[in-house]
Amino acid sequence: MVSSPQPARLLVSQSVGVFCEGSMVQIGDRFVGREHAPFVIAEMSGNHNGSLERALEIVDAIAATGAHALKLQTYTADTMTLDCDHPDFVIGEADSLWHGRKLYDLYDEAHTPWDWHRPIFERAKSHGMLAFSTPFDDTAVDFLDELGVPCFKIASFENADLPLIRKAASKGKPLIISTGMATLAAMGEAVEVARSAGAADVILLKCTSTYPASPADSHLLTIPHMREAFGCEVGISDHTLGIGAAIAAVSLGGTVIEKHVTLQRADGGVDSAFSLEPPELKMLVEESERARQSLGRVHYGPSNKEKAALKYRRSLYVVADIKAGEQFSAQNVRAIRPGFGLAPKHYDAVIGRRAARDIARGTALSWDLLA
């Protein structure tokens, strides 16, 4: 006898430990969950273009949009790679934004100096925004922990670095993990390590690790499956252009949105081509919350606010004076607005019947008017 396949949630739960339903997560003073506005994270990355003054301007601009958190990336070129001319260390993809660049040079240009973190974080906090970062090695984890970040974010390219995940999780804070390129089994390993190492909560972000990403490659239908499989909050780290994919993620139950942000794409920079400008980010914050509110629950029939409008539906009315005993016909009965008469579905049952009394034009038809 061939047994039926197990549901995905059971298969995955065996690899990641105890299964639990997704529930509300607290990060700093904010709550992440389906009962709350989507948690919008604005990623600065290298869009500061090497200027602390510009970085602080970006923070101010992000705060004005209503975004909930600012995120940096914490590394140096030396903690990321080697200063090496070997082809392995040069970006060779012809369609890459960074084709021909040495990895070392790219990271050296894009990194945020560590001594900038405190003033950037303090500027964010002065606006009431959360501020945290993505660490890329153990020293970055310790550095960010000393700065008091409320959570850590693991980048897609590091989601297979289980020792790094273990280190970040050991601080006992929520851990957000981008899942770009990860198989279901690899995600299971990452989640198991994070939970077993002490992460307060795990949040997974559906991510497509191309820059910019194609909407067709986003596969957002994975979001509800991830929530079911791993029992955690799920969102999107979005590299597509515009805000459409992010809004779609919310409609599928996503509770976190991460997008790169810059002052103006025309200013250039390593990530500017796929970054939002502040007005677009503001629209994302507003529209993602509208999308969440619109989900509601399974519901049929009039809402409480619609009930008052029922009287403006069509119903059966006498549209010409009728004498007692006269037949109801298409000439003297019609379905019109408002809705105080019999429902239009009774039209066939009325036609051919006779009037119980004289009926004036404009009378709502009721059963007692039929003989």
Side-chain angles (χ1 to χ4, degrees):
M1 176 178 176
V2 179
S3 60
S4 57
Q6 298 184 60
R9 61 180 282 182
L10 298 181
L11 290 172
V12 175
S13 67
Q14 292 172 359
S15 68
V16 301
V18 178
F19 175 85
C20 61
E21 293 290 344
S23 59
M24 183 175 63
V25 174
Q26 184 169 358
I27 299 179
D29 60 354
R30 295 205 61 86
F31 294 96
V32 178
R34 286 178 285 187
E35 299 303 313
H36 298 272
F39 183 56
V40 179
I41 304 167
E43 165 68 77
M44 183 186 300
S45 186
N47 286 327
H48 50 66
N49 294 352
S51 165
L52 176 57
E53 181 180 359
R54 177 181 171 87
L56 296 175
E57 289 179 10
I58 292 175
V59 175
D60 294 341
I62 289 170
T65 70
H68 309 117
L70 165 81
K71 193 182 80 66
L72 304 179
Q73 296 182 6
T74 306
Y75 62 86
T76 67
D78 290 306
T79 63
M80 288 289 275
T81 190
L82 296 178
D83 187 1
C84 180
D85 293 326
H86 189 281
D88 286 357
F89 295 86
V90 178
I91 298 174
E93 291 82 2
D95 59 349
S96 171
L97 293 172
W98 311 291
H99 173 68
R101 297 286 304 275
K102 283 174 52 178
L103 291 176
Y104 188 93
D105 293 342
L106 181 63
Y107 297 137
D108 189 51
E109 175 188 343
H111 86 287
T112 301
W114 289 26
D115 59 354
W116 290 9
H117 282 57
R118 187 178 296 278
I120 290 173
F121 285 176
E122 288 178 350
R123 180 66 70 92
K125 292 174 185 176
S126 74
H127 289 296
M129 272 197 307
L130 297 177
F132 59 98
S133 188
T134 297
F136 288 84
D137 76 321
D138 286 5
T139 63
V141 172
D142 289 334
F143 170 71
L144 292 170
D145 189 45
E146 290 171 2
L147 290 178
V149 296
C151 63
F152 296 101
K153 161 74 190 300
I154 300 297
S156 286
F157 286 82
E158 275 62 43
N159 62 35
D161 189 345
L162 300 185
L164 176 62
I165 292 174
R166 185 176 296 111
K167 173 71 174 181
S170 72
K171 301 299 183 180
K173 300 177 179 182
L175 191 61
I176 304 170
I177 304 175
S178 276
T179 62
M181 302 174 289
T183 64
L184 186 62
M187 274 191 269
E189 291 176 343
V191 171
E192 180 180 20
V193 167
R195 287 174 170 162
S196 64
D201 288 287
V202 175
I203 297 173
L204 298 177
L205 302 185
K206 182 70 179 75
C207 182
T208 303
S209 296
T210 53
Y211 308 89
S214 163
D217 290 333
S218 297
H219 301 298
L220 297 184
L221 288 175
T222 311
I223 286 175
H225 183 266
M226 289 166 62
R227 177 184 288 275
E228 177 76 4
F230 296 104
C232 63
E233 290 303 321
V234 179
I236 183 173
S237 178
D238 182 27
H239 303 133
T240 65
L241 303 179
I243 66 172
I247 300 299
V250 173
S251 73
L252 291 166
T255 56
V256 179
I257 300 169
E258 181 185 58
K259 289 285 282 189
H260 283 68
V261 179
T262 189
L263 293 177
Q264 296 183 84
R265 283 185 289 274
D267 292 342
V270 292
D271 296 328
S272 62
F274 55 91
S275 296
L276 294 182
E277 295 179 356
E280 296 167 319
L281 180 63
K282 184 175 188 295
M283 184 179 295
L284 173 61
V285 172
E286 295 170 351
E287 295 302 323
S288 63
E289 171 58 357
R290 288 193 180 99
R292 183 195 70 84
Q293 290 178 5
S294 73
L295 295 178
R297 57 185 171 81
V298 176
H299 177 267
Y300 297 96
S303 67
N304 288 334
K305 292 184 178 179
E306 286 178 314
K307 287 178 180 177
L310 288 174
K311 61 179 175 287
Y312 298 113
R313 279 185 156 187
R314 286 177 180 265
S315 66
L316 299 182
Y317 267 79
V318 172
V319 296
D321 292 340
I322 300 176
K323 296 293 185 181
E326 185 179 344
Q327 280 190 324
F328 294 105
S329 68
Q331 284 68 49
N332 56 32
V333 173
R334 284 172 52 203
I336 60 173
R337 295 185 184 187
F340 298 108
L342 294 174
K345 68 181 180 180
H346 298 301
Y347 180 82
D348 290 342
V350 168
I351 298 303
R353 298 278 295 273
R354 295 187 180 275
R357 58 176 175 81
D358 290 352
I359 308 173
R361 178 178 181 269
T363 300
L365 200 58
S366 57
W367 291 116
D368 64 297
L369 295 178
L370 279 68

